[in-house]
Amino acid sequence: MRILQLHCDSIEYTPTKKEIKSAEEIENPQTQRLEELVVAFVAIEDGDDSSVALDAISQIKNSMEKIGCKKLLLYPYAHLSSNLAKPSVAIALLQEMEDTASDLDVSHSPFGWTKSYKLQVKGHPLAESSKVITKDSSSKTEELTSDALKGESKIRSIWKIMSPDGTMSNIGDFDFSNYKKLESLAKYESAKQRNVDEPPPHVALMKKMGIADYEPASDSGNMRFYPNGRLIKSLIERYVTDRVKEYGGYEVETPIMYDSEHPSMVSYFNRFPARQYNIDSEGKKLFLRFAACFGQFLMANQFQLSYKNLPYRLYELTRYSFRREQSGELVGLRRLRAFTMPDCHAFCKDMEQAVDEIKTRFDLSQSVLSELGINESDYDMAIRFTEDFYNENKSSIEELVKKHGKPVLVEMWKEKFFYFVLKWEFNFVDGLGKASALSTDQIDVENGERYGIEFVDENNTAQHPIILHNSPSGAIERIIYVLLEKAAKDSKEGRKPQFPLWLAPTQVRIIPLNAEFNDYCKSLTEKISINNVRVDIDDRNESIGKRIREAEKEWIRYILVIGEKETNSQNLSIRDRHTGTVRELSFDDFLNEINEQTRGKPFTGLNLPKYLSKRPQLMV
C-alpha cells in the first residue's frame, strides 16, 4: 500500500466519470468541500491484506494525533502505484480502513471514478508525508530487536511548539519564518528518515584535516582517528569529564559486554530503543553495551544509600558504546556504531529533587556546548514528556524552555511508553536537514526498582530512587562532526573556518626563511611550548608562500615567519589567520593572548613530530 498524506485547509472534489466497471455507485455526483482535515491518497497494491490495512490506518491515526486533527478523507488514488490490487480487494480494504477509523470524522471519495479536485495544503513541517506499507514491514526486524524499538513508530503522541513564555501552539499554526532550523527539526522527527542520500561536508573535511576516516577492515560505523583527530578527541573527553566532576559526578568504569539473559538485562533491553551487537561465548549470550546505564545501575545496587546521600551522581566516559545502527544511517562522524559517550546518572530521592537536578544539568549542558564552540544559535531543542507529567510539572517544563530562550519542539505522549517520563535534547541540524542530538537528559521512573536500587528515606523506609540520564555534550565524535559542519558552512559563506584555539592540533607555526634561522626557531619553539602552547616548525625546503598557504589550509591561527629582521627584534611579528592581519606583539603579550583563549581548558602537547620535514604524508 502506498499513501500520500496531506494536512489540508480544504479540499474540493467532483466525481466526473466512472473509470472502471466496478466503480462505486453514487447518485447525482456533486462537488464536495471539506475543511481542516487530513487527506490520505491511497493506492492498494497486489498482495495487500487486512494486516496492511490495519497497519496503514494505525499509522495515519498516529500521525493525525501528533498534529491534533480528527477529520480524515480516504481518497483512492491509483496513480501512486503500477502494481494495483483487484478492485474488489481494494474496495474491501478501503472499507476496512474506514471502519477501523470510526473514532474519527472519516469519509472517503468514490472508488473507481475520475475526479477533478482542488486542495489547499497547510505549510507546516508535518503537513506532507508518504508511506509504503507491506505485509512484511511490521514483521521484519533484526535479531534481538528490542520491543521498544519495534513499537517506537506506534507511540501515541501529539506534536506542538512551545514558546519561551510557555504558550503551546499546534505545529500547523506556528510561524516558522524566523525558525528555519526548528522547522527542519520538526520535519526530521516527523518523517523519521535517518538515511543519508549524500555525504555531508564534514566527511571531506575530516579526511583533509587528518582527523578521521572510515576503517574498511572493521564493521561499518567504526572509525580510525589519526593523530590530529585523537588529540582533538582526547581534549574534548578530558574537558567534559572535568566539568562533570566539578558538577559532582563520581567517575567509574564498567564492562563493555553483558549477559543478555541476566534478569535485569532482559527487562531493560526491551525498554531501550537500540539495536545491539550480540556475541556467543562459552554458552553465554552476551551483547556489547549500548549505554553505561546498566553497568552503573548494577553498581548502585551494591550501595547502601540514605536520602542524605542523594542526589548521588555516577559518571563514565564510555569508550565505546555500541549500537548497530542501520547501514543507510552511517555517515562520517554523525552517526556511528561505536562511539564515545559521556554518561552521568543522578539518583534522586523524589520527583521534586529530580526536577531541581535536571535544571542544574540543563545549565551544565548549555555551558559545556558553549565552551566546545557550539553556541545556542547552533542548535534547537526538543522536549518530550507524558501528558500526566506535563500536567503535574508544567511550570518546571516552561522554565526549561525559558532557559533555552527560543521556541522548542514538543512531543507529548498520551501514555508512558519508555522508562522515562521526560526527555529533553539539544539538536544540531546540518545543511542536509538532518538532526543530531547532542546534550540530553531523561527522568527515569522505572530502573530504580528494576535494578533493586534502594535508599532509606526520612522515615527509615526503603525506597527506589528516580534516576536521571544525562550526557552534557552527547557523543564526542558528534561534537567533532558539528565543529566540522560549522567550519564547512563558514567556508561556504566566505568566513575562515577554524577550531576553538584550545582544540587546534597546532596553535602556532614557526617558518624560518631559510636554514640559517633554524637554531633561532628551535629556541623560540622551546620558549613557547613550555608555556603550554602547541607549536611546530615548518623546516621544509619549500617557498615561504607555499608554507604560509599550507599553514592557512591547516587552520593554524598564528604563523611566525622568522628572518634576520625578526631575530633582531624585541617583538614577534605575528600573522593572525583569524583577523587576516600581521601584528607586532611582545612575547608576553602574545602568550597572554593565547592564554585568554585557552584558560580553563585541558592541554596536551603536539601529537605529531615537531618538524614538518619529519612527518609522513597522509594519503587521502
Side-chain angles (χ1 to χ4, degrees):
M1 185 180 297
R2 295 176 183 268
I3 297 172
L4 173 62
Q5 185 174 313
L6 305 173
H7 188 196
C8 300
D9 292 318
S10 64
I11 182 171
E12 279 188 13
Y13 67 88
T14 306
T16 57
K17 179 185 176 184
K18 273 190 177 184
E19 194 65 33
I20 57 175
K21 288 183 179 180
S22 54
E24 186 177 348
E25 294 294 338
I26 54 175
E27 296 182 7
N28 190 23
Q30 294 182 353
T31 298
Q32 303 292 323
R33 178 180 173 84
L34 300 171
E35 296 181 345
E36 296 298 327
L37 78 162
V38 165
V39 179
F41 291 90
V42 181
I44 310 292
E45 297 185 296
D46 188 26
D48 289 347
D49 61 11
S50 290
S51 67
V52 174
L54 294 175
D55 190 3
I57 201 65
S58 174
Q59 291 192 39
I60 291 171
K61 289 170 68 174
N62 186 27
S63 59
M64 288 178 65
E65 189 165 19
K66 284 181 169 65
I67 58 177
C69 182
K70 294 185 176 296
K71 185 184 291 187
L72 171 65
L73 174 66
L74 296 173
Y75 196 113
Y77 200 70
H79 307 293
L80 294 176
S81 175
S82 59
N83 183 34
L84 296 172
K86 293 180 180 179
S88 59
V89 173
I91 290 172
L93 293 182
L94 282 167
Q95 185 61 55
E96 188 169 357
M97 291 172 69
E98 186 171 358
D99 293 343
T100 305
S102 59
D103 53 328
L104 300 174
D105 180 359
V106 60
S107 59
H108 72 274
S109 65
F111 182 89
W113 285 73
T114 299
K115 299 176 283 287
S116 64
Y117 64 89
K118 179 172 63 175
L119 53 80
Q120 179 69 42
V121 181
K122 291 181 180 289
H124 65 77
L126 311 187
E128 303 176 48
S129 63
S130 60
K131 301 175 176 66
V132 178
I133 302 164
T134 67
K135 280 195 287 189
D136 295 330
S137 61
S138 297
S139 60
K140 280 186 179 177
T141 55
E142 292 182 340
E143 180 185 6
L144 288 180
T145 299
S146 72
D147 290 344
L149 193 63
K150 293 175 187 176
E152 195 173 12
S153 64
K154 299 178 182 178
I155 302 171
R156 295 177 59 236
S157 58
I158 298 170
W159 295 84
K160 300 275 188 178
I161 299 294
M162 182 183 288
S163 297
D165 63 2
T167 58
M168 291 263 259
S169 306
N170 291 325
I171 285 184
D173 300 328
F174 186 77
D175 181 4
F176 285 97
S177 56
N178 294 322
Y179 304 100
K180 292 301 182 182
K181 290 181 181 177
L182 182 62
E183 183 177 25
S184 295
L185 174 62
K187 288 180 178 178
Y188 180 80
E189 289 297 335
S190 169
K192 296 193 181 297
Q193 293 296 321
R194 306 310 192 217
N195 287 10
V196 177
D197 299 323
E198 61 180 286
H202 85 277
V203 174
L205 277 180
M206 75 182 188
K207 298 178 182 181
K208 175 186 173 185
M209 301 296 292
I211 292 171
D213 203 350
Y214 301 108
E215 177 49 76
S218 183
D219 186 36
S220 297
N222 288 258
M223 307 296 286
R224 59 165 73 141
F225 282 83
Y226 298 115
N228 281 347
R230 181 60 210 145
L231 181 145
I232 294 169
K233 193 164 181 275
S234 68
L235 287 172
I236 297 173
E237 291 170 356
R238 286 172 56 189
Y239 175 71
V240 176
T241 297
D242 288 347
R243 290 296 306 274
V244 173
K245 292 173 79 171
E246 288 171 9
Y247 143 76
Y250 303 108
E251 190 172 10
V252 298
E253 184 173 330
T254 60
I256 68 166
M257 63 180 70
Y258 292 85
D259 183 352
S260 62
E261 295 178 350
H262 186 282
S264 62
M265 294 300 140
V266 173
S267 177
Y268 187 55
F269 168 79
N270 280 308
R271 303 293 286 142
F272 197 100
R275 298 175 176 85
Q276 277 69 254
Y277 282 96
N278 304 299
I279 303 170
D280 288 330
S281 176
E282 299 178 350
K284 276 191 172 183
K285 293 186 180 297
L286 305 173
F287 67 91
L288 297 180
R289 68 178 176 195
F290 44 84
C293 305
F294 23 88
Q296 293 185 25
F297 297 167
L298 290 167
M299 184 181 290
N301 171 269
Q302 302 297 302
F303 295 161
Q304 289 186 342
L305 293 170
S306 160
Y307 72 95
K308 296 178 182 179
N309 305 130
L310 307 183
Y312 191 78
R313 309 165 182 116
L314 293 180
Y315 168 75
E316 182 175 4
L317 181 78
T318 64
R319 192 188 304 123
Y320 288 96
S321 290
F322 301 88
R323 298 184 191 176
R324 199 171 63 181
E325 306 285 14
Q326 299 183 83
S327 58
E329 302 173 354
L330 302 172
V331 56
L333 299 172
R334 176 177 169 265
R335 188 177 289 270
L336 300 171
R337 287 177 170 169
F339 53 93
T340 308
M341 179 67 79
D343 210 346
C344 183
H345 295 90
F347 302 86
C348 302
K349 67 177 183 177
D350 52 29
M351 187 59 74
E352 182 180 0
Q353 187 178 78
V355 169
D356 286 342
E357 185 75 1
I358 210 168
K359 294 173 186 175
T360 300
R361 291 147 71 99
F362 189 94
D363 293 340
L364 171 68
S365 299
Q366 285 187 318
S367 173
V368 164
L369 288 184
S370 176
E371 293 298 316
L372 290 170
I374 303 171
N375 302 314
E376 291 178 24
S377 60
D378 295 322
Y379 56 81
D380 282 278
M381 178 178 166
I383 187 165
R384 308 159 199 278
F385 40 74
T386 64
E387 189 171 24
D388 287 345
F389 184 86
Y390 174 70
N391 291 334
E392 295 167 7
N393 299 275
K394 183 177 178 182
S395 62
S396 295
I397 290 172
E398 291 173 349
E399 184 177 343
L400 289 180
V401 175
K402 187 175 182 179
K403 281 175 179 282
H404 180 58
K406 297 186 294 183
V408 308
L409 177 65
V410 169
E411 182 178 13
M412 186 186 295
W413 300 307
K414 300 300 289 183
E415 61 268 328
K416 182 167 71 71
F417 181 81
F418 300 112
Y419 54 84
F420 45 84
V421 293
L422 176 139
K423 176 182 179 181
W424 65 258
E425 62 201 28
F426 296 146
N427 291 273
F428 174 79
V429 179
D430 65 21
L432 302 179
K434 300 295 183 181
S436 301
L438 301 174
S439 315
T440 183
D441 210 348
Q442 305 166 0
I443 298 180
D444 172 355
V445 296
E446 289 186 7
N447 285 306
E449 181 176 0
R450 175 174 288 113
Y451 282 83
I453 305 167
E454 293 185 344
F455 70 93
V456 177
D457 68 11
E458 296 92 329
N459 300 315
N460 206 32
T461 302
Q463 303 283 356
H464 299 297
I466 292 172
I467 306 173
L468 304 184
H469 303 233
N470 172 238
S471 181
S473 63
I476 302 299
E477 296 83 358
R478 191 168 280 180
I479 292 294
I480 301 174
Y481 145 75
V482 172
L483 293 176
L484 289 174
E485 286 289 315
K486 286 185 59 181
K489 182 181 178 185
D490 284 343
S491 181
K492 184 179 179 180
E493 296 177 354
R495 297 182 295 273
K496 291 184 177 178
Q498 63 181 28
F499 289 116
L501 188 63
W502 68 279
L503 289 176
T506 297
Q507 295 165 320
V508 178
R509 173 156 296 167
I510 296 177
I511 303 176
L513 274 173
N514 54 52
E516 174 186 348
F517 304 104
N518 283 356
D519 288 344
Y520 181 89
C521 290
K522 179 182 177 183
S523 175
L524 180 59
T525 298
E526 291 171 352
K527 189 178 176 183
I528 294 174
S529 63
I530 61 173
N531 286 279
N532 286 351
V533 178
R534 286 185 292 278
V535 53
D536 62 21
I537 302 173
D538 190 346
D539 61 332
R540 296 173 302 159
N541 187 25
E542 302 284 0
S543 71
I544 289 293
K546 181 176 181 180
R547 286 185 282 172
I548 291 174
R549 287 193 300 273
E550 291 193 5
E552 292 262 354
K553 289 178 181 177
E554 293 178 46
W555 303 354
I556 296 172
R557 169 88 187 254
Y558 298 111
I559 303 168
L560 310 183
V561 177
I562 303 299
E564 185 173 354
K565 174 186 173 184
E566 286 74 24
T567 59
N568 294 321
S569 174
Q570 295 297 311
N571 292 328
L572 298 173
S573 179
I574 300 159
R575 288 177 175 268
D576 187 335
R577 177 177 173 275
H578 179 59
T579 62
T581 60
V582 178
R583 294 179 285 138
E584 296 264 333
L585 283 178
S586 70
F587 183 83
D588 288 342
D589 286 345
F590 180 48
L591 287 182
N592 287 337
E593 181 172 318
I594 292 174
N595 290 335
E596 280 296 316
Q597 299 173 71
T598 60
R599 182 173 288 114
K601 305 299 192 304
F603 173 79
T604 190
L606 284 173
N607 201 29
L608 285 169
K610 178 169 61 176
Y611 291 96
L612 267 68
S613 63
K614 304 294 186 182
R615 296 180 185 178
Q617 294 299 303
L618 179 62
M619 295 184 294
V620 294

